[in-house]
Amino acid sequence: MYGNTTRALPWVRSYAEAQAVFNHRGAVRSKKWMENQRPLYKTYFHYRVVKYANHFDVVLYNTVMARYYEPTMVDGKQHERRLFMGDNSITSKDFMHYVLGKDSWRRVENSQRGEVIAPVYIKEFMRDGDERFSADFMYVDGVLDTTKSAHTPHYRLVSGTEDKAARAEVLKKFDNYLMLAQMRLPEFAAEVTLANNLGRPWAGGAFSEYDARDCVEKIANDTATSEDIHAFFEMCQDAFNVLASKRAYKQKDFTLQPRWHAPNQQVDSLDKLDKQITADEMRKAVSTRILKALSLTKKSVRQTIPQFVVEKDYPRSNVHW
């Protein structure tokens, strides 16, 4: 309900806009309201702007989502400090978008050196008085000055020397199995299943992660039975199916088995692939499944992302703070 209400709220993106809203709204005659508080919508207390000696707070429920300090003139230029705090709730995201003009999914800001990423994360990095904030931005004549601004530090997780060594040690133990998987490539090709639901983006295989973990762990611990080894090569077949289906999915003139029932539709065979699956590709795909089954794909080294990077240098995924 409140997510829709935020669409009716006024913009409060700066000290000037906060002051305009405060002056426009009359004081609410209620013991609940203080003289320095004004509602953003009707008399709803959970949407309010609060006036202090040198700043305004924009409050959602009990959280100060933004703090705007009164602008000052320095060398003929207007400097305005704005503080923000992010939150993951739907109402908070809507409030940030429709009231503060900030988005968790769109973080580009115009700065003195062009467009940069200026995120408002949900983790605090500073306190101003008793309030928590994740972004401390200084605007000079309405433009973000990155030399006088900061936000919650962020980083990527990358593989370190120990991570790589652990993976190499495990794969060395599976070397014979990987070699057999490469040698059995013609068998996998003969039994291939090409399907749309295996080839589309983000699609995984049909072999369960539980079964993969079970057979791989037993082989790693030297407790595998013939059934476990059979399951391992079933996993290899599934890896081949996914590799071939994804390649076929990207090939425009290739018709894959659809997800729906279409008995009269002609489905293409593996021979139609412009590029066949190679032994090296097969080895890499199976190696990835082995490492994933043993929880060895995790990365443990933090690589700091600089503050206010340009958009092309901001990772599309694997961003932490």
Short mmCIF file of all heavy atoms in Angstrom, two decimals, residues 266-321:
data_model
loop_
_atom_site.label_atom_id
_atom_site.label_comp_id
_atom_site.label_asym_id
_atom_site.label_seq_id
_atom_site.Cartn_x
_atom_site.Cartn_y
_atom_site.Cartn_z
N GLN A 266 10.30 -30.00 -36.63
CA GLN A 266 11.56 -30.66 -36.97
C GLN A 266 12.68 -30.09 -36.11
O GLN A 266 12.89 -28.89 -36.06
CB GLN A 266 11.87 -30.43 -38.46
CG GLN A 266 13.05 -31.22 -38.97
CD GLN A 266 12.77 -32.72 -39.05
OE1 GLN A 266 11.64 -33.12 -39.28
NE2 GLN A 266 13.79 -33.53 -38.84
N VAL A 267 13.38 -30.98 -35.40
CA VAL A 267 14.47 -30.56 -34.53
C VAL A 267 15.79 -30.92 -35.18
O VAL A 267 15.97 -32.03 -35.70
CB VAL A 267 14.35 -31.24 -33.15
CG1 VAL A 267 15.50 -30.81 -32.26
CG2 VAL A 267 13.02 -30.88 -32.50
N ASP A 268 16.74 -29.98 -35.15
CA ASP A 268 18.04 -30.21 -35.78
C ASP A 268 18.91 -31.13 -34.92
O ASP A 268 18.73 -31.23 -33.70
CB ASP A 268 18.75 -28.88 -36.03
CG ASP A 268 18.07 -28.06 -37.10
OD1 ASP A 268 17.57 -28.66 -38.07
OD2 ASP A 268 18.03 -26.82 -36.97
N SER A 269 19.87 -31.75 -35.56
CA SER A 269 20.79 -32.65 -34.85
C SER A 269 22.11 -31.94 -34.56
O SER A 269 22.37 -30.84 -35.05
CB SER A 269 21.05 -33.90 -35.70
OG SER A 269 21.75 -33.56 -36.88
N LEU A 270 22.95 -32.62 -33.80
CA LEU A 270 24.24 -32.05 -33.38
C LEU A 270 25.13 -31.72 -34.56
O LEU A 270 25.93 -30.78 -34.51
CB LEU A 270 24.94 -33.04 -32.45
CG LEU A 270 26.21 -32.56 -31.75
CD1 LEU A 270 25.87 -31.44 -30.75
CD2 LEU A 270 26.89 -33.72 -31.03
N ASP A 271 24.99 -32.47 -35.65
CA ASP A 271 25.85 -32.27 -36.82
C ASP A 271 25.69 -30.88 -37.43
O ASP A 271 26.58 -30.41 -38.15
CB ASP A 271 25.55 -33.33 -37.89
CG ASP A 271 25.90 -34.73 -37.42
OD1 ASP A 271 26.76 -34.83 -36.53
OD2 ASP A 271 25.30 -35.70 -37.91
N LYS A 272 24.57 -30.23 -37.16
CA LYS A 272 24.31 -28.92 -37.77
C LYS A 272 25.06 -27.79 -37.07
O LYS A 272 25.12 -26.67 -37.58
CB LYS A 272 22.80 -28.63 -37.77
CG LYS A 272 22.43 -27.43 -38.65
CD LYS A 272 20.94 -27.21 -38.71
CE LYS A 272 20.61 -25.97 -39.55
NZ LYS A 272 19.16 -25.71 -39.63
N LEU A 273 25.64 -28.06 -35.92
CA LEU A 273 26.40 -27.02 -35.23
C LEU A 273 27.56 -26.55 -36.10
O LEU A 273 28.30 -27.35 -36.67
CB LEU A 273 26.96 -27.55 -33.91
CG LEU A 273 26.01 -27.63 -32.71
CD1 LEU A 273 26.75 -28.18 -31.50
CD2 LEU A 273 25.41 -26.27 -32.38
N ASP A 274 27.72 -25.24 -36.19
CA ASP A 274 28.83 -24.68 -36.96
C ASP A 274 30.16 -25.05 -36.32
O ASP A 274 31.17 -25.22 -37.01
CB ASP A 274 28.70 -23.15 -37.04
CG ASP A 274 27.49 -22.73 -37.87
OD1 ASP A 274 27.05 -23.53 -38.71
OD2 ASP A 274 26.99 -21.61 -37.65
N LYS A 275 30.17 -25.14 -35.00
CA LYS A 275 31.39 -25.50 -34.28
C LYS A 275 31.07 -26.59 -33.26
O LYS A 275 30.24 -26.40 -32.39
CB LYS A 275 31.98 -24.28 -33.56
CG LYS A 275 33.29 -24.56 -32.84
CD LYS A 275 33.79 -23.32 -32.12
CE LYS A 275 35.09 -23.62 -31.36
NZ LYS A 275 35.56 -22.45 -30.59
N GLN A 276 31.70 -27.72 -33.40
CA GLN A 276 31.44 -28.84 -32.50
C GLN A 276 32.13 -28.63 -31.14
O GLN A 276 33.05 -27.84 -31.02
CB GLN A 276 31.93 -30.14 -33.14
CG GLN A 276 31.18 -30.52 -34.42
CD GLN A 276 29.70 -30.80 -34.17
OE1 GLN A 276 29.34 -31.46 -33.19
NE2 GLN A 276 28.85 -30.30 -35.06
N ILE A 277 31.66 -29.34 -30.13
CA ILE A 277 32.23 -29.27 -28.79
C ILE A 277 33.59 -29.96 -28.80
O ILE A 277 33.72 -31.10 -29.27
CB ILE A 277 31.31 -29.93 -27.75
CG1 ILE A 277 29.90 -29.35 -27.84
CG2 ILE A 277 31.89 -29.77 -26.36
CD1 ILE A 277 29.83 -27.86 -27.62
N THR A 278 34.61 -29.28 -28.29
CA THR A 278 35.96 -29.84 -28.28
C THR A 278 36.25 -30.54 -26.96
O THR A 278 35.55 -30.34 -25.95
CB THR A 278 37.01 -28.75 -28.51
OG1 THR A 278 37.00 -27.85 -27.38
CG2 THR A 278 36.72 -27.97 -29.79
N ALA A 279 37.32 -31.34 -26.95
CA ALA A 279 37.72 -32.05 -25.74
C ALA A 279 38.12 -31.07 -24.63
O ALA A 279 37.83 -31.31 -23.45
CB ALA A 279 38.87 -33.01 -26.06
N ASP A 280 38.78 -29.98 -25.00
CA ASP A 280 39.19 -28.98 -24.00
C ASP A 280 37.98 -28.30 -23.37
O ASP A 280 37.96 -28.03 -22.16
CB ASP A 280 40.10 -27.93 -24.64
CG ASP A 280 41.49 -28.48 -24.95
OD1 ASP A 280 41.85 -29.53 -24.38
OD2 ASP A 280 42.20 -27.86 -25.77
N GLU A 281 36.96 -28.02 -24.19
CA GLU A 281 35.74 -27.41 -23.66
C GLU A 281 35.03 -28.36 -22.70
O GLU A 281 34.49 -27.96 -21.67
CB GLU A 281 34.81 -27.02 -24.80
CG GLU A 281 35.31 -25.83 -25.63
CD GLU A 281 34.48 -25.59 -26.87
OE1 GLU A 281 33.91 -26.56 -27.41
OE2 GLU A 281 34.42 -24.42 -27.31
N MET A 282 35.05 -29.64 -23.07
CA MET A 282 34.43 -30.65 -22.22
C MET A 282 35.16 -30.75 -20.88
O MET A 282 34.54 -30.80 -19.82
CB MET A 282 34.45 -32.00 -22.94
CG MET A 282 33.71 -33.11 -22.21
SD MET A 282 31.95 -32.73 -22.09
CE MET A 282 31.43 -34.00 -20.94
N ARG A 283 36.47 -30.74 -20.93
CA ARG A 283 37.26 -30.82 -19.70
C ARG A 283 36.99 -29.63 -18.79
O ARG A 283 36.83 -29.78 -17.58
CB ARG A 283 38.75 -30.89 -20.06
CG ARG A 283 39.67 -31.12 -18.85
CD ARG A 283 41.13 -31.09 -19.23
NE ARG A 283 41.99 -31.40 -18.09
CZ ARG A 283 42.44 -32.62 -17.80
NH1 ARG A 283 42.13 -33.64 -18.58
NH2 ARG A 283 43.22 -32.82 -16.75
N LYS A 284 36.90 -28.45 -19.37
CA LYS A 284 36.65 -27.24 -18.58
C LYS A 284 35.26 -27.28 -17.94
O LYS A 284 35.10 -26.93 -16.76
CB LYS A 284 36.78 -26.01 -19.48
CG LYS A 284 36.58 -24.70 -18.74
CD LYS A 284 36.75 -23.51 -19.66
CE LYS A 284 36.53 -22.19 -18.92
NZ LYS A 284 36.68 -21.02 -19.82
N ALA A 285 34.26 -27.74 -18.70
CA ALA A 285 32.88 -27.78 -18.18
C ALA A 285 32.77 -28.77 -17.02
O ALA A 285 32.14 -28.47 -15.99
CB ALA A 285 31.92 -28.17 -19.29
N VAL A 286 33.39 -29.93 -17.16
CA VAL A 286 33.33 -30.93 -16.10
C VAL A 286 34.15 -30.47 -14.89
O VAL A 286 33.74 -30.66 -13.73
CB VAL A 286 33.83 -32.30 -16.60
CG1 VAL A 286 33.85 -33.32 -15.46
CG2 VAL A 286 32.94 -32.80 -17.72
N SER A 287 35.29 -29.84 -15.13
CA SER A 287 36.11 -29.32 -14.03
C SER A 287 35.33 -28.31 -13.21
O SER A 287 35.40 -28.30 -11.97
CB SER A 287 37.39 -28.67 -14.58
OG SER A 287 38.20 -29.61 -15.23
N THR A 288 34.57 -27.46 -13.87
CA THR A 288 33.76 -26.46 -13.18
C THR A 288 32.74 -27.13 -12.28
O THR A 288 32.51 -26.71 -11.14
CB THR A 288 33.06 -25.55 -14.19
OG1 THR A 288 34.04 -24.86 -14.98
CG2 THR A 288 32.18 -24.52 -13.49
N ARG A 289 32.14 -28.21 -12.78
CA ARG A 289 31.14 -28.91 -11.97
C ARG A 289 31.78 -29.61 -10.76
O ARG A 289 31.19 -29.66 -9.69
CB ARG A 289 30.39 -29.93 -12.84
CG ARG A 289 29.52 -29.26 -13.90
CD ARG A 289 28.46 -30.20 -14.39
NE ARG A 289 27.57 -29.53 -15.35
CZ ARG A 289 26.35 -29.94 -15.63
NH1 ARG A 289 25.86 -31.01 -15.03
NH2 ARG A 289 25.61 -29.30 -16.51
N ILE A 290 32.96 -30.13 -10.96
CA ILE A 290 33.68 -30.76 -9.85
C ILE A 290 33.97 -29.74 -8.75
O ILE A 290 33.71 -29.98 -7.56
CB ILE A 290 34.99 -31.40 -10.34
CG1 ILE A 290 34.69 -32.60 -11.25
CG2 ILE A 290 35.86 -31.84 -9.17
CD1 ILE A 290 35.92 -33.14 -11.96
N LEU A 291 34.49 -28.59 -9.14
CA LEU A 291 34.84 -27.55 -8.17
C LEU A 291 33.60 -27.00 -7.48
O LEU A 291 33.62 -26.73 -6.27
CB LEU A 291 35.60 -26.42 -8.87
CG LEU A 291 36.96 -26.81 -9.47
CD1 LEU A 291 37.54 -25.64 -10.24
CD2 LEU A 291 37.92 -27.27 -8.38
N LYS A 292 32.51 -26.87 -8.24
CA LYS A 292 31.27 -26.37 -7.64
C LYS A 292 30.73 -27.38 -6.63
O LYS A 292 30.25 -27.00 -5.55
CB LYS A 292 30.23 -26.11 -8.73
CG LYS A 292 28.95 -25.50 -8.21
CD LYS A 292 27.98 -25.20 -9.35
CE LYS A 292 26.69 -24.58 -8.80
NZ LYS A 292 25.72 -24.30 -9.90
N ALA A 293 30.79 -28.67 -6.96
CA ALA A 293 30.29 -29.72 -6.06
C ALA A 293 31.07 -29.73 -4.75
O ALA A 293 30.53 -30.06 -3.70
CB ALA A 293 30.37 -31.08 -6.75
N LEU A 294 32.35 -29.37 -4.81
CA LEU A 294 33.20 -29.37 -3.62
C LEU A 294 33.31 -27.98 -2.99
O LEU A 294 34.16 -27.76 -2.12
CB LEU A 294 34.59 -29.89 -3.98
CG LEU A 294 34.65 -31.35 -4.48
CD1 LEU A 294 36.05 -31.71 -4.93
CD2 LEU A 294 34.16 -32.31 -3.39
N SER A 295 32.47 -27.06 -3.44
CA SER A 295 32.45 -25.67 -2.91
C SER A 295 33.81 -24.99 -3.04
O SER A 295 34.24 -24.25 -2.15
CB SER A 295 32.00 -25.68 -1.45
OG SER A 295 30.70 -26.20 -1.32
N LEU A 296 34.47 -25.22 -4.18
CA LEU A 296 35.78 -24.62 -4.40
C LEU A 296 35.76 -23.50 -5.45
O LEU A 296 36.80 -23.04 -5.88
CB LEU A 296 36.79 -25.70 -4.83
CG LEU A 296 37.19 -26.69 -3.73
CD1 LEU A 296 38.06 -27.80 -4.30
CD2 LEU A 296 37.93 -25.98 -2.60
N THR A 297 34.56 -23.08 -5.83
CA THR A 297 34.46 -21.98 -6.79
C THR A 297 34.41 -20.63 -6.08
O THR A 297 34.46 -19.58 -6.72
CB THR A 297 33.20 -22.12 -7.67
OG1 THR A 297 32.05 -22.22 -6.81
CG2 THR A 297 33.28 -23.38 -8.53
N LYS A 298 34.31 -20.67 -4.75
CA LYS A 298 34.23 -19.42 -3.99
C LYS A 298 35.56 -18.67 -4.04
O LYS A 298 36.63 -19.28 -4.06
CB LYS A 298 33.84 -19.70 -2.54
CG LYS A 298 32.45 -20.30 -2.39
CD LYS A 298 32.12 -20.60 -0.94
CE LYS A 298 30.72 -21.20 -0.81
NZ LYS A 298 30.40 -21.54 0.59
N LYS A 299 35.47 -17.35 -4.03
CA LYS A 299 36.65 -16.50 -4.08
C LYS A 299 36.81 -15.80 -2.73
O LYS A 299 35.83 -15.31 -2.16
CB LYS A 299 36.52 -15.48 -5.21
CG LYS A 299 36.30 -16.15 -6.56
CD LYS A 299 35.87 -15.18 -7.62
CE LYS A 299 35.59 -15.90 -8.95
NZ LYS A 299 35.13 -14.97 -9.98
N SER A 300 38.02 -15.74 -2.23
CA SER A 300 38.23 -15.27 -0.86
C SER A 300 39.00 -13.96 -0.73
O SER A 300 39.11 -13.42 0.36
CB SER A 300 38.98 -16.36 -0.07
OG SER A 300 40.24 -16.62 -0.66
N VAL A 301 39.53 -13.44 -1.84
CA VAL A 301 40.34 -12.22 -1.75
C VAL A 301 39.50 -11.01 -2.17
O VAL A 301 38.88 -11.01 -3.23
CB VAL A 301 41.59 -12.34 -2.65
CG1 VAL A 301 42.39 -11.03 -2.63
CG2 VAL A 301 42.46 -13.50 -2.20
N ARG A 302 39.51 -9.99 -1.32
CA ARG A 302 38.77 -8.76 -1.62
C ARG A 302 39.62 -7.83 -2.47
O ARG A 302 40.73 -7.48 -2.10
CB ARG A 302 38.38 -8.05 -0.33
CG ARG A 302 37.38 -8.81 0.53
CD ARG A 302 36.94 -7.96 1.71
NE ARG A 302 35.93 -8.64 2.51
CZ ARG A 302 35.25 -8.08 3.51
NH1 ARG A 302 35.51 -6.80 3.83
NH2 ARG A 302 34.36 -8.75 4.19
N GLN A 303 39.06 -7.43 -3.60
CA GLN A 303 39.73 -6.48 -4.50
C GLN A 303 38.92 -5.17 -4.47
O GLN A 303 37.79 -5.12 -4.95
CB GLN A 303 39.80 -7.04 -5.91
CG GLN A 303 40.56 -6.17 -6.89
CD GLN A 303 40.55 -6.75 -8.29
OE1 GLN A 303 39.55 -6.69 -9.01
NE2 GLN A 303 41.66 -7.36 -8.67
N THR A 304 39.51 -4.14 -3.91
CA THR A 304 38.80 -2.88 -3.73
C THR A 304 38.44 -2.24 -5.07
O THR A 304 39.24 -2.19 -6.00
CB THR A 304 39.66 -1.89 -2.92
OG1 THR A 304 39.95 -2.48 -1.64
CG2 THR A 304 38.93 -0.57 -2.71
N ILE A 305 37.21 -1.76 -5.17
CA ILE A 305 36.76 -0.99 -6.33
C ILE A 305 36.92 0.49 -5.97
O ILE A 305 36.44 0.92 -4.92
CB ILE A 305 35.29 -1.29 -6.67
CG1 ILE A 305 35.08 -2.78 -6.91
CG2 ILE A 305 34.84 -0.47 -7.89
CD1 ILE A 305 33.61 -3.17 -7.02
N PRO A 306 37.60 1.26 -6.78
CA PRO A 306 37.77 2.68 -6.47
C PRO A 306 36.41 3.39 -6.33
O PRO A 306 35.41 2.96 -6.90
CB PRO A 306 38.56 3.23 -7.66
CG PRO A 306 39.24 2.03 -8.24
CD PRO A 306 38.30 0.88 -8.03
N GLN A 307 36.40 4.47 -5.59
CA GLN A 307 35.17 5.25 -5.43
C GLN A 307 34.94 6.09 -6.67
O GLN A 307 35.88 6.60 -7.29
CB GLN A 307 35.27 6.14 -4.20
CG GLN A 307 35.47 5.37 -2.90
CD GLN A 307 34.50 5.77 -1.80
OE1 GLN A 307 34.05 6.90 -1.72
NE2 GLN A 307 34.18 4.82 -0.94
N PHE A 308 33.68 6.20 -7.04
CA PHE A 308 33.24 7.06 -8.14
C PHE A 308 33.92 6.69 -9.47
O PHE A 308 34.48 7.55 -10.15
CB PHE A 308 33.46 8.53 -7.81
CG PHE A 308 32.81 8.96 -6.53
CD1 PHE A 308 33.57 9.31 -5.42
CD2 PHE A 308 31.43 8.98 -6.41
CE1 PHE A 308 32.97 9.69 -4.22
CE2 PHE A 308 30.81 9.36 -5.21
CZ PHE A 308 31.59 9.72 -4.12
N VAL A 309 33.90 5.41 -9.80
CA VAL A 309 34.45 4.97 -11.09
C VAL A 309 33.46 5.32 -12.20
O VAL A 309 32.27 5.54 -11.96
CB VAL A 309 34.72 3.45 -11.09
CG1 VAL A 309 35.79 3.09 -10.09
CG2 VAL A 309 33.43 2.66 -10.82
N VAL A 310 33.97 5.38 -13.42
CA VAL A 310 33.07 5.57 -14.56
C VAL A 310 32.29 4.27 -14.77
O VAL A 310 32.70 3.19 -14.33
CB VAL A 310 33.86 5.96 -15.83
CG1 VAL A 310 34.52 7.31 -15.65
CG2 VAL A 310 34.89 4.90 -16.18
N GLU A 311 31.19 4.36 -15.48
CA GLU A 311 30.26 3.23 -15.58
C GLU A 311 30.90 1.99 -16.19
O GLU A 311 30.64 0.87 -15.76
CB GLU A 311 29.02 3.63 -16.37
CG GLU A 311 27.91 2.61 -16.32
CD GLU A 311 26.61 3.12 -16.91
OE1 GLU A 311 26.63 4.17 -17.58
OE2 GLU A 311 25.58 2.47 -16.70
N LYS A 312 31.77 2.17 -17.16
CA LYS A 312 32.38 1.01 -17.83
C LYS A 312 33.33 0.25 -16.91
O LYS A 312 33.62 -0.93 -17.14
CB LYS A 312 33.11 1.45 -19.10
CG LYS A 312 34.37 2.26 -18.87
CD LYS A 312 35.05 2.63 -20.18
CE LYS A 312 36.32 3.43 -19.96
NZ LYS A 312 37.35 2.66 -19.25
N ASP A 313 33.79 0.89 -15.83
CA ASP A 313 34.71 0.24 -14.89
C ASP A 313 33.99 -0.33 -13.67
O ASP A 313 34.64 -0.89 -12.78
CB ASP A 313 35.78 1.23 -14.42
CG ASP A 313 36.71 1.65 -15.55
OD1 ASP A 313 36.87 0.86 -16.49
OD2 ASP A 313 37.25 2.77 -15.47
N TYR A 314 32.66 -0.18 -13.64
CA TYR A 314 31.89 -0.72 -12.51
C TYR A 314 31.44 -2.13 -12.84
O TYR A 314 30.76 -2.34 -13.85
CB TYR A 314 30.69 0.19 -12.23
CG TYR A 314 29.94 -0.16 -10.97
CD1 TYR A 314 30.44 0.16 -9.72
CD2 TYR A 314 28.69 -0.80 -11.02
CE1 TYR A 314 29.76 -0.14 -8.56
CE2 TYR A 314 27.99 -1.11 -9.86
CZ TYR A 314 28.52 -0.78 -8.64
OH TYR A 314 27.84 -1.08 -7.49
N PRO A 315 31.79 -3.13 -12.03
CA PRO A 315 31.42 -4.51 -12.33
C PRO A 315 29.90 -4.69 -12.44
O PRO A 315 29.13 -4.07 -11.71
CB PRO A 315 31.98 -5.30 -11.14
CG PRO A 315 33.01 -4.42 -10.55
CD PRO A 315 32.54 -3.02 -10.78
N ARG A 316 29.49 -5.57 -13.36
CA ARG A 316 28.07 -5.85 -13.54
C ARG A 316 27.56 -6.80 -12.46
O ARG A 316 26.36 -6.94 -12.24
CB ARG A 316 27.82 -6.46 -14.92
CG ARG A 316 28.18 -5.53 -16.07
CD ARG A 316 27.33 -4.28 -16.07
NE ARG A 316 27.69 -3.36 -17.13
CZ ARG A 316 27.14 -2.17 -17.30
NH1 ARG A 316 26.23 -1.75 -16.46
NH2 ARG A 316 27.52 -1.39 -18.30
N SER A 317 28.46 -7.52 -11.83
CA SER A 317 28.09 -8.44 -10.76
C SER A 317 29.28 -8.55 -9.80
O SER A 317 30.30 -7.91 -10.00
CB SER A 317 27.73 -9.82 -11.35
OG SER A 317 28.84 -10.37 -12.04
N ASN A 318 29.10 -9.38 -8.78
CA ASN A 318 30.18 -9.62 -7.82
C ASN A 318 30.64 -8.31 -7.15
O ASN A 318 31.83 -8.04 -7.03
CB ASN A 318 31.36 -10.32 -8.52
CG ASN A 318 32.44 -10.74 -7.54
OD1 ASN A 318 32.22 -10.89 -6.35
ND2 ASN A 318 33.65 -10.92 -8.06
N VAL A 319 29.67 -7.50 -6.73
CA VAL A 319 29.98 -6.27 -6.01
C VAL A 319 29.50 -6.44 -4.57
O VAL A 319 28.34 -6.79 -4.33
CB VAL A 319 29.29 -5.04 -6.65
CG1 VAL A 319 29.61 -3.78 -5.84
CG2 VAL A 319 29.75 -4.87 -8.09
N HIS A 320 30.38 -6.20 -3.64
CA HIS A 320 30.04 -6.35 -2.22
C HIS A 320 30.46 -5.08 -1.47
O HIS A 320 31.27 -4.30 -1.94
CB HIS A 320 30.80 -7.56 -1.63
CG HIS A 320 30.59 -8.83 -2.40
ND1 HIS A 320 29.61 -9.75 -2.10
CD2 HIS A 320 31.26 -9.33 -3.48
CE1 HIS A 320 29.66 -10.75 -2.94
NE2 HIS A 320 30.66 -10.53 -3.79
N TRP A 321 29.88 -4.93 -0.26
CA TRP A 321 30.26 -3.78 0.55
C TRP A 321 30.14 -4.12 2.03
O TRP A 321 29.68 -5.16 2.38
CB TRP A 321 29.38 -2.57 0.23
CG TRP A 321 27.92 -2.87 0.26
CD1 TRP A 321 27.08 -2.84 1.35
CD2 TRP A 321 27.11 -3.26 -0.86
NE1 TRP A 321 25.81 -3.19 0.99
CE2 TRP A 321 25.79 -3.44 -0.36
CE3 TRP A 321 27.35 -3.46 -2.21
CZ2 TRP A 321 24.72 -3.82 -1.19
CZ3 TRP A 321 26.30 -3.83 -3.02
CH2 TRP A 321 25.00 -4.02 -2.51
#
